[in-house]
Amino acid sequence: MPKMTEHELLAIVGDAERDALAYNGQFLQENQDLLERYLGEPYGDEVEGQSQVISTDVQDLIESDMPALVRVFLGVNDVITFEPQSSNPADEAEAEEKTKYVNWIIQNQEDSYKIIHDWIKDALMQKAGVLKVVYQEREDVREVEYDGLNEVELMQLVEDLQNEADKVEIIGQNENDDLTYYVQFKIRRKIKEFVLLNVPSDEFLISRNARSVETAALVGDRTVKTRSELIAEGFDYDTVAKLPRLAKSSEEGSGIRALRHKDSGGDDEDTLNSWASEEVELCDLYVQVDYDGDGIAERRHILKSGNV
């Protein structure tokens, strides 16, 4: 069989995504009902003049269980332990090294406590708690300025910045009356890292009737990113420019998203209006598909926005 064309791939992925979305709608409704019970929201069948009291048993039970469950993952023990396949010293050393490394990655995440806490709480409060681990390469760009530097200090500073960053540009420089310098730098640095992310239930996608993540025809999530974020992650400008801007109706989100924002005091208002800050919907999908035409469906990682 010949290799699949991009158009054929898009059609297959689109069908799998729509099937997952159809299931996701029922999944979301059930999660919304569960979240309303946790928050003690009205049921909608209240009768005027009668008691409006709503029991908070669900919230009370979850909150009482959280400390013990969090200690399992964030206590003194390792979050993940690798076991050697044999008593060979090399295998034992490798397992120990992997255990230390993976636990270091997890525990040194920014907001690692909150990420793990929210994952456990989602599992108690809703139908699933979802974490995603990704390896990403991105470019960090920042501008810094220094004043009052003598010539030696300026040369040493430039050398230090060049050793720490991938590219350093002087974008502004003035000599002061006292023969010192004011200098403004633009610093570009490539960052390569593993990142642990919470996936909200209203963004999670999985095939209908899937028994597990491993056997699902499609699993992934939908998220919203700005064009600037995508370019920083390495996507080329022309590709990002083709992506459809997120429709206003999509930005308003689902009922469960509105509940989450209400609970956290959040606000969806966007005060930026530049091209770089425009939001697009990105589907990060893992699909079982025979892309290379060898008759065997393999798990493919596909990033999709609109028909791109």
Side-chain angles (χ1 to χ4, degrees), residues 102-116:
V102 172
N103 280 281
W104 180 87
I105 289 175
I106 294 171
Q107 292 165 356
N108 283 274
Q109 292 285 311
E110 185 177 354
D111 296 330
S112 62
Y113 178 89
K114 184 177 186 304
I115 290 169
I116 294 176

Side-chain angles (χ1 to χ4, degrees), residues 84-277:
Q85 293 298 306
S86 72
S87 58
N88 187 304
D91 287 344
E92 292 178 350
E94 181 181 351
E96 184 180 354
E97 205 169 288
K98 287 179 177 178
T99 298
K100 289 179 179 178
Y101 179 56
V102 172
N103 280 281
W104 180 87
I105 289 175
I106 294 171
Q107 292 165 356
N108 283 274
Q109 292 285 311
E110 185 177 354
D111 296 330
S112 62
Y113 178 89
K114 184 177 186 304
I115 290 169
I116 294 176
H117 173 278
D118 290 354
W119 163 59
I120 295 171
K121 194 166 185 177
D122 278 348
L124 290 176
M125 189 166 56
Q126 310 212 286
K127 293 182 74 66
V130 184
L131 280 179
K132 178 170 73 169
V133 182
V134 297
Y135 172 75
Q136 66 179 22
E137 297 183 8
R138 59 184 175 86
E139 185 176 50
D140 178 60
V141 182
R142 58 191 176 94
E143 294 182 6
V144 296
E145 54 185 35
Y146 298 87
D147 199 6
L149 299 173
N150 61 41
E151 191 169 345
V152 174
E153 290 172 334
L154 177 58
M155 292 175 62
Q156 184 62 52
L157 176 62
V158 170
E159 183 179 343
D160 291 342
L161 291 176
Q162 288 175 337
N163 289 334
E164 296 173 1
D166 296 287
K167 186 177 181 181
V168 178
E169 301 174 70
I170 297 178
I171 56 176
Q173 181 174 347
N174 288 317
E175 186 173 350
N176 301 322
D177 293 337
D178 60 356
L179 301 182
T180 61
Y181 295 92
Y182 163 82
V183 188
Q184 188 176 12
F185 297 95
K186 177 176 280 189
I187 301 171
R188 298 178 183 270
R189 188 162 63 98
K190 295 282 188 183
I191 298 176
K192 303 176 182 180
E193 59 188 355
F194 287 97
V195 181
L196 194 64
L197 301 170
N198 289 115
V199 178
S201 61
D202 48 292
E203 296 178 1
F204 180 58
L205 294 174
I206 190 167
S207 299
R208 187 197 310 266
N209 299 325
R211 291 183 177 272
S212 68
V213 169
E214 289 76 14
T215 60
L218 176 146
V219 65
D221 65 277
R222 296 170 299 164
T223 188
V224 175
K225 295 200 173 188
T226 64
R227 299 189 193 276
S228 174
E229 288 173 329
L230 293 175
I231 291 173
E233 290 175 11
F235 294 95
D236 65 87
Y237 182 94
D238 292 339
T239 299
V240 173
K242 294 176 186 176
L243 305 182
R245 182 178 181 179
L246 187 66
K248 186 65 180 175
S249 59
S250 299
E251 291 175 0
E252 290 168 356
S254 63
I256 191 169
R257 188 177 304 149
L259 273 173
R260 284 196 289 107
H261 279 280
K262 176 184 175 182
D263 183 43
S264 61
D267 193 333
D268 281 332
E269 183 179 357
D270 182 11
T271 56
L272 300 175
N273 197 30
S274 67
W275 181 87
S277 65

Side-chain angles (χ1 to χ4, degrees), residues 1 10 40 56 59 64-65 79 83 90 112 115 119-120 146 164 172 217 280 282-283 285:
M1 294 174 62
L10 193 62
T56 60
Q59 184 177 126
S64 66
D65 281 352
V79 178
E83 297 291 341
S112 62
I115 290 169
W119 163 59
I120 295 171
Y146 298 87
E164 296 173 1
V280 300
L282 183 70
C283 294
L285 307 174

